[in-house]
Amino acid sequence: MAAGRLIIKTEFLPTKYRGYMLPLSQVFWLAGSLLIIGLASVVIPTIGWRWLIRIASIPGIILILAFKFIPESARFNVSTGNTEAALATLERIAKMNRSVMPEGRLVEPVLKKRGRFADLLDAKYLRTTLQIWVIWLGISFAYYGVILASAELLERDLVCGSRSESETVVTVGVSEESQSPCHCHMFTPSDYQTMIISTIGEIALNPLNILGINFLGRRLSLSITMGCTAVFFLLLNICTSSAGLIGFLFMLRALVAANFNTIYIYTAEVYPTTMRALGMGISGSLCRIGAMVAPFISQVLMSASLLGALCLFSSVCVICAISAFTLPIETKGRALQQVK
C-alpha cells in the first residue's frame, strides 16, 4: 500500500517538486507512529494489547473505503489506451488548480506489453535492479531493527546507565526461579516518553534530507545517510546515560527514515511507467523480508550478544552505502521515463 501511494504521487508531481514533496509526506507517517505509541501508553496498561490491535485496525478499514476517491494515474491510463479517463483526471486537476487544460489531444502509443519480472532483469536495468534490491533489504532490516531494538534496550536494560540504580537494585536478592525467563516487564511512562522522542527523530533530518536529495543527488545522499546509520548503530554499544541512549535512538530513527525517503524516490524515478509499479512492488516484497529477519537480530541475537547484533546491523548498512554510491543511474532532475 505504501508503494502504491508513492507511485501515484510520483507520477502526479512535476520533476522539480518530487524531491521536496515526497520526503514531506513523512510527516503523516510520523503522526501515525506517534499516535500508536500514545494509544499504547493508554490502552495496554488498562484494557490490554489485544484492544490496541483492534483499535489500530480501524483506520485501515476506513482507508479501504477511501480508495475509491483516489484518482488513477493519468500516465497509466494513457499507456493502456484509456485516454478518456486520463483526460478526465487531468481536467479534474486543472479545475482544482483553477486553470484551463491546454488545447490539443493526448497522443501516446498503446503498449502491447506491460512490465514483466524479466524486464527488471533486462541488461539495461539488471545492475540497477540488483543493487536496489540489496538496498531495500538492508534499509528495511535496519529500520525495523531500530524500532525493535529500542523496545529491547529499554525492556532488558542492555545499555548500562539507561535506568537508575534505585530501579535495578530491586531485583537483587530475587531467586533465579522467580524471575521470568523472557525478562519482560511493563513499560513505564518514561519508556513511552523515550519511544516518542526517538520516533520524532524520523522527521528531524527531513530538511537536510531534502537538501541532500535535491543538491547532492539521490545516490550520494543515500550513501551518506546509510554510512551514518552504520556509525550510530555501533555507538549504541557505548556505556551511556538515559539521555545518551535517547540521543542515539533519536539519530538512528532520523537516519533510517531519511534512507527510506531516498530509496522510495529513487526506485519510483529510475523505472519507466510500464515497470514502475512492478519495480516498487518487488522492492516492497523484499522490504518485508528484511522486516521479518530484523526481530531475530534485535530481539534474539541482541539478548545474547549486544555487540554482535549491532555489528551485524552496521555491516549491512555499510554494504547498502556502497551499493547506493555505485548505482549506475542518477535520477536527480530526470523526467519520468514512459518506456524502457
Side-chain angles (χ1 to χ4, degrees):
M1 185 165 64
R5 52 96 177 163
L6 186 109
I7 291 171
I8 290 177
K9 285 191 291 185
T10 302
E11 295 185 349
F12 275 115
L13 287 170
T15 302
K16 64 179 181 179
Y17 294 128
R18 286 199 302 267
Y20 295 94
M21 298 305 298
L22 294 178
L24 288 177
S25 64
Q26 185 71 17
V27 174
F28 299 96
W29 181 279
L30 170 68
S33 299
L34 292 176
L35 179 61
I36 196 65
I37 294 174
L39 195 62
S41 66
V42 175
V43 174
I44 292 179
T46 53
I47 55 179
W49 62 269
R50 289 181 178 84
W51 274 102
L52 175 66
I53 295 176
R54 292 164 186 159
I55 296 172
S57 65
I58 295 174
I61 297 172
I62 296 174
L63 187 59
I64 293 174
L65 302 175
F67 279 147
K68 63 177 295 185
F69 301 103
I70 300 176
E72 181 56 84
S73 166
R75 291 175 181 270
F76 173 79
N77 282 329
V78 169
S79 68
T80 57
N82 192 356
T83 54
E84 290 184 5
L87 279 171
T89 300
L90 294 175
E91 287 171 357
R92 179 179 172 185
I93 294 172
K95 184 177 180 181
M96 291 175 64
N97 289 296
R98 299 177 182 178
S99 183
V100 180
M101 283 279 292
E103 295 183 2
R105 61 191 183 93
L106 292 176
V107 178
E108 184 73 26
V110 178
L111 301 173
K112 300 296 183 182
K113 293 182 179 179
R114 301 280 186 86
R116 300 168 299 171
F117 181 79
D119 294 334
L120 296 175
L121 302 178
D122 184 81
K124 182 178 179 180
Y125 289 103
L126 177 60
R127 179 181 162 189
T128 301
T129 296
L130 295 178
Q131 289 184 231
I132 283 177
W133 288 351
V134 169
I135 295 170
W136 271 95
L137 272 168
I139 289 178
S140 62
F141 177 66
Y143 180 82
Y144 292 102
V146 169
I147 294 174
L148 294 170
S150 300
E152 199 71 9
L153 291 170
L154 294 170
E155 185 178 325
R156 300 194 179 205
D157 295 328
L158 292 180
V159 175
C160 62
S162 61
R163 292 192 181 276
S164 64
E165 293 182 7
S166 61
E167 291 175 300
T168 57
V169 75
V170 174
T171 61
V172 177
V174 178
S175 63
E176 188 175 328
E177 291 78 14
S178 65
Q179 292 184 356
S180 170
C182 69
H183 307 285
C184 298
H185 68 266
M186 293 288 289
F187 270 20
T188 64
S190 63
D191 292 329
Y192 284 111
Q193 183 181 12
T194 299
M195 294 290 287
I196 289 173
I197 293 173
S198 62
T199 300
I200 292 174
E202 292 200 10
I203 200 175
L205 288 184
N206 242 13
L208 290 178
N209 187 214
I210 291 172
L211 289 175
I213 288 172
N214 288 283
F215 293 99
L216 298 180
R218 280 56 162 163
R219 294 181 301 182
L220 182 56
S221 177
L222 181 56
S223 62
I224 291 173
T225 53
M226 286 301 309
C228 292
T229 306
V231 172
F232 273 92
F233 263 118
L234 294 178
L235 290 177
L236 277 180
N237 191 55
I238 296 177
C239 181
T240 184
S241 63
S242 178
L245 173 63
I246 292 173
F248 289 149
L249 292 175
F250 182 90
M251 285 303 301
L252 268 174
R253 291 293 287 269
L255 289 165
V256 294
N259 295 335
F260 253 132
N261 281 340
T262 310
I263 194 59
Y264 262 121
I265 295 171
Y266 183 86
T267 306
E269 290 178 335
V270 78
Y271 291 120
T273 301
T274 54
M275 298 164 52
R276 189 169 297 117
L278 180 65
M280 286 292 293
I282 299 295
S283 298
S285 300
L286 293 172
C287 175
R288 302 300 168 239
I289 294 175
M292 288 188 288
V293 175
F296 293 99
I297 308 304
S298 58
Q299 294 185 309
V300 179
L301 178 58
M302 187 168 284
S303 62
S305 173
L306 175 63
L307 180 60
L310 295 178
C311 285
L312 181 56
F313 279 121
S314 181
S315 299
V316 170
C317 291
V318 170
I319 293 172
C320 291
I322 296 172
S323 183
F325 187 75
T326 57
L327 281 167
I329 302 173
E330 173 57 70
T331 61
K332 173 189 170 185
R334 182 176 182 250
L336 294 181
Q337 308 296 300
Q338 289 294 108
V339 294
K340 67 175 185 175

